[in-house]
Amino acid sequence: MNRAAIVTGLLAAAGARLAYAALSYRPPGGRSAWTRTNHRGETVTLLEGPAVAAAAVVAALIAQPGAVRPGGGDPGGAGDPGSGHGPAGLGGRQRAALAVAGAGAAAFGCYDDLSGSSDRRGFRGHLGALASGELTSGAVKIGGIGATGAAASMLLGAAPAAGAAAAADLIINAGLVAGGANLLNLFDLRPGRAIKVAIATGLPLAAVPGPAGQAAAAPLGAAIALLPEDLAERAMLGDAGANALGAMLGAAAAATLPRPARLAVLAGIAGLTAASEFVSFTKVIERTALLRRLDLLGRRPAVAPPAAAARSAGPRRAAAQPRRGAAQPPPVRSAAAAPR
């Protein structure tokens, strides 16, 4: 990771903390609009998502432009990913594509966060509802993020090619942005999980020489800065944050990887997305020892079932019982037990 990538990541991290503090102080539309119940039945805020998205987008826009490599290339364009030509850092159109991907995915994700319901889930659920004449917020989000991917792909342009190859580049890049946005959101079901997946997929991208590190640094820096809030179950990414992170990582791959690598990544995204319609990622993680340990890393301990808690507390309770014949205080009736 070069100096420009480190600076971009630090800017994104600082921006995420500032944005989260500002949004938490005065939530748009009131605090209750952003409050949800998590898997423990506790309340958390969705404000983490807009804070991460806003910081990552701004950091991408103000990222330091790279110098032009020997061999030419337009310093404001995407160059030819993986060719060794074009900009050594992020060009203007690459930064714009990252910002469009993050802002568009965050906007449609936020709409689903605030207006959606859990009655319909997944592509099958939303598209099935659409086929029967019902327009769900999820269907609006699917269409919106698809359009966002297309817009980001158009900004990136195609590698120097003609005809079918250029069209293929545009389709692949749009799929990476839209598919990445959807896939990362599928992991936002437990504290810290989506951010851990983003780190696991973004760090290898950041290690690629050239502009890839800087492209991945903006979403990674913002996400890592608010990971403690997510793990402590004070906040969650929601659709706004998870969609934005996935879209920006997809755009980073689209902007920097050669076509064979982009095809491989897109195939992986498509395969996992298809599998999610039939397989629960949470169940797979819980059944796989290594994945379960990584998933629980940094999280609060799980709450023991009441029966298990009673068994584990049995000896201590027995030791705490007064001796036979000792004076005992009179029973105290709770307010709940008193007659109304």
Side-chain angles (χ1 to χ4, degrees):
M1 188 179 290
N2 56 30
R3 179 179 177 276
I6 293 172
V7 171
T8 300
L10 290 175
L11 285 173
R17 295 303 313 184
L18 287 172
Y20 181 69
L23 289 170
S24 298
Y25 179 72
R26 186 168 293 180
R31 198 170 302 278
S32 61
W34 300 92
T35 300
R36 297 293 183 271
T37 302
N38 69 2
H39 69 290
R40 292 181 191 266
E42 300 174 353
T43 57
V44 296
T45 179
L46 289 170
L47 292 170
E48 176 189 338
V52 166
V57 167
V58 171
L61 281 173
I62 64 176
Q64 178 184 355
V68 179
R69 287 194 186 104
D74 176 9
D80 182 0
S83 68
H85 301 288
L90 285 177
R93 291 178 65 176
Q94 289 175 310
R95 297 198 303 274
L98 281 165
V100 165
F108 287 105
C110 191
Y111 165 74
D112 199 25
D113 279 335
L114 299 181
S115 304
S117 69
S118 58
D119 295 340
R120 305 279 187 169
R121 291 182 179 275
F123 278 107
R124 285 194 304 171
H126 294 299
L127 296 181
L130 188 62
S132 62
E134 178 188 356
L135 181 63
T136 65
S137 61
V140 172
K141 186 180 75 168
I142 290 171
I145 290 180
T148 296
S153 180
M154 292 296 291
L155 278 168
L156 287 172
D169 273 336
L170 293 175
I171 294 171
I172 292 167
N173 292 346
L176 287 171
V177 174
N182 179 70
L183 181 59
L184 191 61
N185 192 40
L186 297 177
F187 287 97
D188 191 34
L189 296 176
R190 292 293 184 271
R193 181 183 293 173
I195 295 180
K196 289 174 183 176
V197 172
I199 293 170
T201 54
L203 282 181
L205 187 62
V208 176
Q214 197 177 8
L220 287 181
I224 291 170
L226 289 180
L227 178 59
E229 304 296 325
D230 207 306
L231 290 172
E233 301 182 33
R234 293 186 288 267
M236 62 182 289
L237 284 172
D239 288 9
N243 285 149
L245 284 179
M248 292 188 76
L249 288 172
T256 59
L257 296 181
R259 188 181 298 126
R262 284 181 283 139
L263 273 172
V265 173
L266 182 58
I269 290 173
L272 287 171
T273 301
S276 71
E277 297 290 334
F278 307 98
V279 178
S280 166
F281 288 168
T282 293
K283 291 181 179 179
V284 172
I285 290 170
E286 289 176 350
R287 288 197 300 260
T288 309
L290 177 60
L291 294 179
R292 186 171 183 273
R293 284 196 294 270
L294 292 173
D295 191 46
L296 294 174
L297 185 65
R299 282 171 48 181
R300 290 167 50 191
V303 178
R311 287 195 300 271
S312 63
R316 292 193 295 274
R317 288 180 179 172
Q321 292 295 323
R323 296 188 305 274
R324 185 182 297 273
Q328 300 185 27
V332 178
R333 298 178 68 188
S334 67
R340 294 185 178 180

